Amino acid sequence: MSLAIISPGKNPNAWIKVINQLNPDLKIQVYPDISDPEEVEVAFLWQHPEGLLSSFPNLKLISSMGAGVDHILRDKTISPDIPIVRIVDEKLTWSMTNYVIMAVLNFHRQITRYQADQKRKVWDMSNPEIEVKVGVMGVGALGSDVLEKLSMMDIPVFGYGFSEKEDFQFPYFSKDHLDQFLKEINVLVCLLPLTKETENILNLDLFEKCNPGTYLINVARGKHLVDEDLIIAFEKGYLSGAMLDVYREEPLPKDHPFWEEDRITMTPHIASVTNPRAAAPQLIENIERIKSNRELLNLVDRNRGY
């Protein structure tokens, strides 16, 4: 059996080191230097070239290198018979929650405003805090942890998702109740998976339904957000600002208007990065399970998109 690591533009050495420690007998081939494609039975990947996996005639398992799988599901050349799994890592959850809390507190304590005041040498002690009520779109492992940790800080929280939930720990609004959800909050966090239903969901129609001055935090996928609608929402007062970690094109082109927009705080897709030492054991475990025809860890439901 051979494992193909496919992560264009990313250095796979940290993954190779850990995988070799866990299973020294596993043959690893790294794209683009795949010398024996017929030996590849497991593909471990991030942002692979579309159609590439069809060159592996004996492929039995596809694993994402992270929690997201939209980069895999958009490749329509992949056989529906090949199972897809993803990484669920407590460290990913910890990092994502810390990032969102940082972004919420940035808005709550108006750090962006004080940074601007510092540059202008302005001493303004008025209104040092903004009352926040946080809504999280997408309440899976990441979103639920965000809600829990913010609630522990006595910050009112609300969840939103596309499925019905019974006995959810926090106030929750399902798919058809988006308007009610938005009226409860003034900080909107997007942690939705990227699917046909959620692509472009952060658009002008949604922003218009927000409480005036709502603050947006997008840490899910760049394609959730309609870029030009965000700027319009600022101008119309629907939103007061945004913190973005993901973008439609990464790296963000240097001529993109977000670079010059003072109401946007940007980070380069670093909110939550997969830790090879924590995640590789899941990969190795799934390789053993596929060999013995056992139930896989973190199996993706293709119909749901996650």
Side-chain angles (χ1 to χ4, degrees):
M1 172 179 284
S2 176
L3 168 71
I5 298 180
I6 307 165
S7 56
K10 294 182 180 294
N11 188 330
N13 288 342
W15 286 104
I16 294 171
K17 180 180 179 180
V18 177
I19 291 169
N20 280 333
Q21 291 172 347
L22 294 171
N23 189 342
D25 297 325
L26 181 63
K27 180 179 178 179
I28 300 175
Q29 301 186 64
V30 179
Y31 175 83
D33 300 320
I34 307 292
S35 58
D36 299 304
E38 69 282 352
E39 292 185 5
V40 173
E41 295 185 40
V42 180
F44 189 49
L45 48 81
W46 190 261
Q47 303 293 354
H48 72 284
E50 186 171 340
L52 175 67
L53 300 186
S54 61
S55 64
F56 306 138
N58 298 309
L59 190 63
K60 294 182 172 63
L61 176 65
I62 300 168
S63 177
S64 174
M65 297 176 80
V69 293
D70 52 281
H71 59 104
I72 300 173
L73 296 178
R74 66 170 173 252
D75 186 347
K76 303 307 179 185
T77 69
I78 296 175
S79 168
D81 298 325
I82 302 175
I84 299 170
V85 296
R86 63 191 183 95
I87 296 296
V88 176
D89 176 8
E90 290 183 1
K91 178 66 174 177
L92 279 176
T93 303
W94 183 85
S95 297
M96 181 63 78
T97 296
N98 284 355
Y99 183 98
V100 173
I101 289 174
M102 176 268 298
V104 170
L105 293 180
N106 174 64
F107 176 66
H108 169 55
R109 297 308 302 260
Q110 303 183 74
I111 300 303
T112 301
R113 167 191 153 193
Y114 293 124
Q115 289 174 331
D117 285 350
Q118 179 180 344
K119 290 180 179 179
R120 296 182 295 118
K121 300 180 181 179
V122 171
W123 188 274
D124 181 4
M125 296 175 64
S126 63
N127 304 317
E129 297 181 3
I130 297 174
E131 181 181 357
V132 294
K133 295 182 178 181
V134 180
V136 177
M137 304 177 76
V139 293
L142 299 177
S144 294
D145 194 66
V146 168
L147 291 170
E148 180 182 352
K149 299 305 191 299
L150 287 172
S151 178
M152 291 170 64
M153 300 169 65
D154 291 328
I155 292 175
V157 294
F158 304 83
Y160 172 83
F162 277 55
S163 59
E164 300 290 338
K165 292 188 183 298
E166 295 183 4
D167 301 322
F168 194 67
Q169 185 177 359
F170 305 102
Y172 176 79
F173 297 83
S174 57
K175 180 179 178 180
D176 295 331
H177 302 284
L178 177 61
D179 293 12
Q180 296 96 309
F181 166 74
L182 294 173
K183 289 304 178 186
E184 294 286 349
I185 65 173
N186 66 342
V187 176
L188 176 63
V189 181
C190 182
L191 271 167
L192 289 165
L194 183 63
T195 66
K196 290 181 179 179
E197 285 188 295
T198 66
E199 186 170 347
N200 299 321
I201 193 171
L202 301 176
N203 56 40
L204 194 60
D205 181 60
L206 181 145
F207 297 147
E208 189 175 4
K209 296 171 183 175
C210 291
N211 286 310
T214 290
Y215 189 76
L216 173 68
I217 302 168
N218 187 18
V219 284
R221 288 290 182 265
K223 289 185 178 180
H224 284 125
L225 174 64
V226 180
D227 291 359
E228 55 270 26
D229 285 3
L230 179 60
I231 304 298
I232 296 171
F234 290 153
E235 299 303 327
K236 290 185 174 291
Y238 303 150
L239 302 180
S240 60
M243 189 155 191
L244 307 178
D245 186 58
V246 291
Y247 313 90
R248 287 182 171 267
E249 184 178 350
E250 297 179 5
L252 191 68
K254 294 188 182 297
D255 61 351
H256 196 286
F258 284 178
W259 289 108
E260 304 297 330
E261 176 52 66
D262 292 338
R263 289 164 290 196
I264 297 176
T265 300
M266 299 193 311
T267 53
H269 205 148
I270 49 76
S272 187
V273 180
T274 305
N275 183 319
R277 188 162 297 280
Q282 292 179 45
L283 171 67
I284 299 301
E285 175 64 22
N286 271 328
I287 290 174
E288 294 304 316
R289 290 184 179 220
I290 203 74
K291 286 180 181 178
S292 55
N293 198 31
R294 288 182 290 147
E295 183 179 355
L296 296 169
L297 301 175
N298 308 317
L299 183 65
V300 171
D301 183 333
R302 293 178 187 237
N303 293 323
R304 298 178 69 181
Y306 54 93

